[in-house]
Structures are given as structure tokens and as C-alpha cells.
Amino acid sequence: MASIEMKNIVKKYGDGFPAVNDVSLDIADGEFMILVGPSGCGKSTLLRMIVGLEDITSGDMVIGGTRVNDKAPRDRNLSMVFQNYALYPHMSVYENIAFPLRLSKTPDDQVDRLVKEAADVLELHEHLDRKPANLSGGQRQRVAMGRAIVRQAEAFLFDEPLSNLDAKLRGQMRTEIARLQRRLGITTVYVTHDQTEAMTLGDRVCVLRKGSIQQVASPRELYEQP
Ligand code: ADP
Ligand code: ADP
């Protein structure tokens, strides 16, 4: 697990107004930080700079005390959970969760132990032989998180993970993500449009507007009426 420190982060695409304009934000080890703000305010760009999918124009990105500006995504050891879960349809749940361990040539007995531990936490042990197509949306989300858990990633990054789900499932998944994050105590950055998600999930909420931070506050400070 690791803290994420952003210092005067700027992202320019071409000559236009910066997509991210001098953002400084410290996310503590184990903290759940929500990024909110209108469409186009720079949430996804900021998330992609944390994970390394987008170059930083200027400023410093420091993860776990190490400057990572020039580190490739695979060397940052973060786990991005995508909206579409990015599961492999031809592989079982077991192999989907095991995938990062196969890539790093982890010995089979260790893979088995780590996958089963993750399946336990996520209550997926009865589904390990199934294919993703035979799972519910919530179960697929858990498989995607299982993959992050076995990698022992430093942090979870979510880009509107629940926006394609119906209201009932979204509520369930919100509860699951909150439970899982507390249980793992893993640093989490979560982009959403949804005020309920921001209120119930976040330790703090960072409000972005036109590429800049407008406010950073606890959900209570931000949303509760006086
Ligand atoms: P959000 O996630 O808050 O909706 P984005 O981070 O996707 O916002 O976008 C922030 C701004 O940067 C927007 O004005 C968007 O059009 C622009 N932008 C995002 N990605 C690119 C890109 N690859 N090339 C040019 N402009 C981009
Ligand atoms: P989202 O709702 O996921 O933020 P967007 O429409 O903002 O969707 O962006 C979808 C993709 O298009 C992203 O990969 C983003 O980087 C890219 N993109 C967004 N705005 C621009 C732009 N003005 N020029 C080029 N690419 C862009």
C-alpha cells in the first residue's frame, strides 16, 4: 500500500486550455479518495496520469515516496478497475484472477493459495470454474478486483466502475466496494458522477472544475445541510 502525492500536476493536450491545471493533492496510505466534477473537468486524465497511461506535462507524481513520472504503468504496481472489467471471456474466473501471477511466473502452488485467498475475501469460491459470461455484473466486478488483490497492488483506481449497472446492482456493488476497501485498507482513488457513491464511499472528496481543484472535503462537510 502506498500514499499518492501529486505536486503541481499539469496536463496539456496541444495548445488548448490545460485538461489538468496545477493540481496538488495528497492521498494518504489507505485513504479512499473520490474525484468528482462535471464532464470534461479532468477526472479521467488525472486518474490516467496516476496509473501512467498518460504523460504528465509538468509537476511530480509521487507514489509510496517514489517519483514515478518516468515509470511505465507496469512498474507502478497500481490496479485500475475498468468500467467493462476487462476480463478474458475464454478464461475461467480462476484463471482471470490468476492472470497477473501467471505473467510474473509465480509458482503454481503460490498461485493457487493467492487465488483462493482472494476468492474467499470476494466470496467467489463457488464460481471459480465459471466463465465471465455466466456471472452477474457484480460478480464480474469482484473478479476484476480479485485480480487486483492477488497482485498486491499499491492502490486501486476506479473510473466510474458502476455507471453501466442498474440501480439495484449499483447499490450492492457500492456496499461491496466499501466493505472490500475497508477490509484491505488499500489506498483507493475513485472517479464518479454519482453523489451517493461520493457520500458513502469516500474518506474525502476532491471536487474538480476546469482542470483545477475547487474543494477537498469530507463527504459530510460537502453534502450535509447545516
Ligand atoms: P472527465 O473525466 O472529467 O470527463 P477528461 O479527463 O476526460 O474529463 O477530459 C478533460 C479535458 O481534456 C476535456 O476537455 C477533454 O476533452 C480533454 N481531453 C481528454 N483526453 C484528451 C485527448 N486524448 N486529447 C485531447 N484532449 C483530451
Ligand atoms: P469519458 O466519459 O470516459 O471521460 P470521454 O468522451 O471524455 O469519455 O473520452 C473518451 C476517450 O476519448 C478518452 O480516452 C479520452 O482521452 C479521449 N478524448 C476525450 N476528449 C478528447 C479530445 N478532445 N480529443 C481527443 N481525444 C479525446
Side-chain angles (χ1 to χ4, degrees), residues 125-145:
H125 35 265
E126 287 166 25
H127 308 297
L128 285 172
D129 295 330
R130 293 210 201 166
K131 298 276 167 63
N134 303 320
L135 299 176
S136 70
Q139 289 166 338
R140 280 181 218 162
Q141 175 85 67
R142 276 185 265 155
V143 177
M145 291 173 80

Side-chain angles (χ1 to χ4, degrees), residues 94 98 101-102 107-117:
Y94 185 103
L101 302 172
R102 302 289 187 210
D108 281 348
D109 54 338
Q110 209 175 329
V111 170
D112 201 57
R113 184 174 58 78
L114 288 167
V115 170
K116 286 181 176 154
E117 274 175 19

Side-chain angles (χ1 to χ4, degrees), residues 23-40:
V23 163
S24 295
L25 180 65
D26 285 356
I27 302 170
D29 199 349
E31 186 172 24
F32 200 129
M33 178 67 80
I34 304 278
L35 303 181
V36 296
S39 187

Side-chain angles (χ1 to χ4, degrees), residues 13 39-40 44-45 48 54 159-160 193:
Y13 295 106
S39 187
S44 301
T45 301
R48 291 212 303 272
E54 200 82 73
D159 195 352
E160 306 207 32
H193 276 108

Side-chain angles (χ1 to χ4, degrees), residues 17-21 38-42 208-213:
F17 192 80
V20 172
N21 192 10
S39 187
C41 71
L208 291 168
R209 196 168 183 89
K210 295 183 180 158
S212 300
I213 294 181

Side-chain angles (χ1 to χ4, degrees), residues 36-130:
V36 296
S39 187
C41 71
K43 303 181 297 292
S44 301
T45 301
L46 201 55
L47 206 65
R48 291 212 303 272
M49 286 192 285
I50 296 171
V51 83
L53 296 172
E54 200 82 73
D55 286 338
I56 297 167
T57 305
S58 65
D60 292 315
M61 185 68 72
V62 179
I63 297 175
T66 305
R67 187 175 182 273
V68 298
N69 288 46
D70 302 320
K71 277 195 181 185
R74 66 174 174 282
D75 297 325
R76 298 188 187 196
N77 196 26
L78 306 174
S79 211
M80 185 115 165
V81 182
F82 292 95
Q83 211 172 64
N84 58 7
Y85 318 121
L87 301 180
Y88 297 103
H90 59 288
M91 289 184 191
S92 66
V93 167
Y94 185 103
E95 283 307 326
N96 265 287
I97 295 175
F99 189 74
L101 302 172
R102 302 289 187 210
L103 281 185
S104 60
K105 306 220 186 319
T106 306
D108 281 348
D109 54 338
Q110 209 175 329
V111 170
D112 201 57
R113 184 174 58 78
L114 288 167
V115 170
K116 286 181 176 154
E117 274 175 19
D120 236 25
V121 174
L122 296 162
E123 293 168 15
L124 282 172
H125 35 265
E126 287 166 25
H127 308 297
L128 285 172
D129 295 330
R130 293 210 201 166

